[in-house]
Amino acid sequence: MGTPDKIGGGRIIGPEAVLCGGFAIMSLPRTLGELRHSPFSEAQLRSRRVKDELRDNLMAKLRQGGPIFPGIVGYDDTVVPQIINAILSRHNFILLGLRGQAKSRILRALTTLLDPHMPYVAGCEIHDNPYSPICRPCRDSVAKQGDETPIAYLTQEQRYVEKLATPDVTIADLIGDIDPIKAARGGHELGSEMTVHYGLLPRANRGIFAINELPDLAGKIQVGLFNIMQEGDVQIKGYPIRLPLDVALVFSANPEDYTARGKIITPLKDRIGSEIRTHYPASIEEGIAITTQEAWTKRDGYKLHIPKYVQEVIERIAFAAREDKKVDKRSGVSQRLPISCMENVISNAERRAIRHEEKLVVPRIGDVYAAMPAITGKLELEYEGEMKGADHVGRELIRTAIAKTYDGYFKGTDMNQVVQWFDLGGEIQLADTAGAGEALQALRGIQGLMEKLVKLNVGPKESAESQVSAAEFVLEGLHAHKRIGRNEERLFSAGEKPQKVAEKPFEREDAPFRGRRPFN
Ligand SMILES: [Zn+2]
């Protein structure tokens, strides 16, 4: 079997062992005797607790430089430094934030700070430290087999246990219970240490235990948790045994639930070392970065081009919703809204491309409206919103998002010529299912429109799909600003003019009155 040198260069059981990959696994010690003469020596391991391990590996990562939690976007200056401090302080900590703020993701990412391989007594349900086993069967086994005691290993992911708190979680679920079947099979007395059925927490021994939505845990379960944090051990109901567990406890909660009086017992709150607030992306750019990372966009078959303004509109829907008084502030608007929306937008564009045998998939604003099913379910509405209906609220949010995005590109740009074309009776229908070739022909008939697309970096040499998407965005922008009208069938036409705008249609020199020009 492997020599110690083969594990991560032999000095510490640090992240460099990861580099050895499968080779390291091949050469890991398989017995307690081998373990003693490996980098997993007694001196190294005996007193190394999970929080020491997290701290050591974090310090190594900090010295290396680079991101501590790759894939966590927008928290570099806020949440991440606070988490680092909590870990360096060896704290149990809680993340407070609204839904869709990557709380679970951050907690799961903590596993990257664990050793790549953790040796334990093979077969032990609570993954006992071979040098200081706490359960009775392991103590017996080590006493009997000595250096021949078989050793097994856990990966980083296997050392993460997660539980969504609900009011019906029991002490038995969390900590453990008597297992009468185990007792009968093994011929043990009920109450013997050999008959314990371990709950989630002992099974998380020497790992990370995450409880999401902590305030939903019943009071007496919170007391149980407090005991673990206070005494560092658990007592199993009716058993004369104590298990001095080694667990890093991390939690998440909605801030309002957490701070509400009586939801969390004070001594438990007192034992949570750090309280860290998460937040939604601070800028549209950060939101786009997260959505781009999370949404399923790399699909087979079709070439996809997502215009920047479509990304912005999708992101701004979430931003607008977070500010809208018709949307419930306490539950928040998850980042999953723009992510799901983006996926649906691409799918609607794919559907159009397949139907018209187009090679390039370019989402349009019309696809955003078609993505309503990915939006409405993510909004918890206030009374006023409920009265108006989720669809109505969703459409208003999209329109607000379009208006703001449009302003980013076209504020101060003279669009009178385009508006006039509609005022003179021009109409164009742009169904979200309309093929690019046909739609482009019709859009080119609108005086002054296509040359405006340079602001979107779209010229006449661009693909028809891109030109149509860009031109439609301009029309949607004008509609969002109420300069032109548009009905449910996506027929763009003259808007209702406020009185103060005096139009002089007969002085136009470039085009005669063109009447209705419907497009199908
Ligand atoms: Zn054990």
Side-chain angles (χ1 to χ4, degrees), residues 124 126 128 135 138:
C124 178
I126 59 172
D128 259 328
C135 85
C138 285

PDB file of all heavy atoms in Angstrom, residues 124 126 128 135 138, ligand 1:
ATOM      1  N   CYS A 124     -18.259   2.961  10.855  1.00  0.00           N
ATOM      2  CA  CYS A 124     -18.858   3.759  11.931  1.00  0.00           C
ATOM      3  C   CYS A 124     -19.892   4.726  11.374  1.00  0.00           C
ATOM      4  O   CYS A 124     -19.616   5.473  10.451  1.00  0.00           O
ATOM      5  CB  CYS A 124     -17.783   4.535  12.689  1.00  0.00           C
ATOM      6  SG  CYS A 124     -18.495   5.575  13.986  1.00  0.00           S
ATOM      7  N   ILE A 126     -21.105   7.275  12.794  1.00  0.00           N
ATOM      8  CA  ILE A 126     -20.844   8.676  13.115  1.00  0.00           C
ATOM      9  C   ILE A 126     -19.398   9.065  12.781  1.00  0.00           C
ATOM     10  O   ILE A 126     -18.892  10.063  13.251  1.00  0.00           O
ATOM     11  CB  ILE A 126     -21.187   9.001  14.589  1.00  0.00           C
ATOM     12  CG1 ILE A 126     -20.367   8.125  15.544  1.00  0.00           C
ATOM     13  CG2 ILE A 126     -22.680   8.792  14.843  1.00  0.00           C
ATOM     14  CD1 ILE A 126     -20.529   8.557  17.004  1.00  0.00           C
ATOM     15  N   ASP A 128     -16.259   8.015  13.316  1.00  0.00           N
ATOM     16  CA  ASP A 128     -15.352   8.250  14.436  1.00  0.00           C
ATOM     17  C   ASP A 128     -13.906   8.496  14.014  1.00  0.00           C
ATOM     18  O   ASP A 128     -13.395   7.859  13.094  1.00  0.00           O
ATOM     19  CB  ASP A 128     -15.377   7.042  15.389  1.00  0.00           C
ATOM     20  CG  ASP A 128     -16.248   7.323  16.587  1.00  0.00           C
ATOM     21  OD1 ASP A 128     -16.324   8.492  16.998  1.00  0.00           O
ATOM     22  OD2 ASP A 128     -16.853   6.359  17.103  1.00  0.00           O
ATOM     23  N   CYS A 135     -17.852   6.317  19.891  1.00  0.00           N
ATOM     24  CA  CYS A 135     -18.957   5.361  20.036  1.00  0.00           C
ATOM     25  C   CYS A 135     -18.435   4.028  20.553  1.00  0.00           C
ATOM     26  O   CYS A 135     -17.278   3.662  20.339  1.00  0.00           O
ATOM     27  CB  CYS A 135     -19.761   5.218  18.746  1.00  0.00           C
ATOM     28  SG  CYS A 135     -19.122   4.049  17.549  1.00  0.00           S
ATOM     29  N   CYS A 138     -16.917   1.313  18.122  1.00  0.00           N
ATOM     30  CA  CYS A 138     -15.577   1.659  17.625  1.00  0.00           C
ATOM     31  C   CYS A 138     -14.522   1.486  18.713  1.00  0.00           C
ATOM     32  O   CYS A 138     -13.425   1.004  18.445  1.00  0.00           O
ATOM     33  CB  CYS A 138     -15.533   3.084  17.098  1.00  0.00           C
ATOM     34  SG  CYS A 138     -16.320   3.254  15.502  1.00  0.00           S
TER      35      CYS A 138
HETATM   36 ZN    ZN B   1     -17.816   4.806  15.957  1.00  0.00          ZN
END
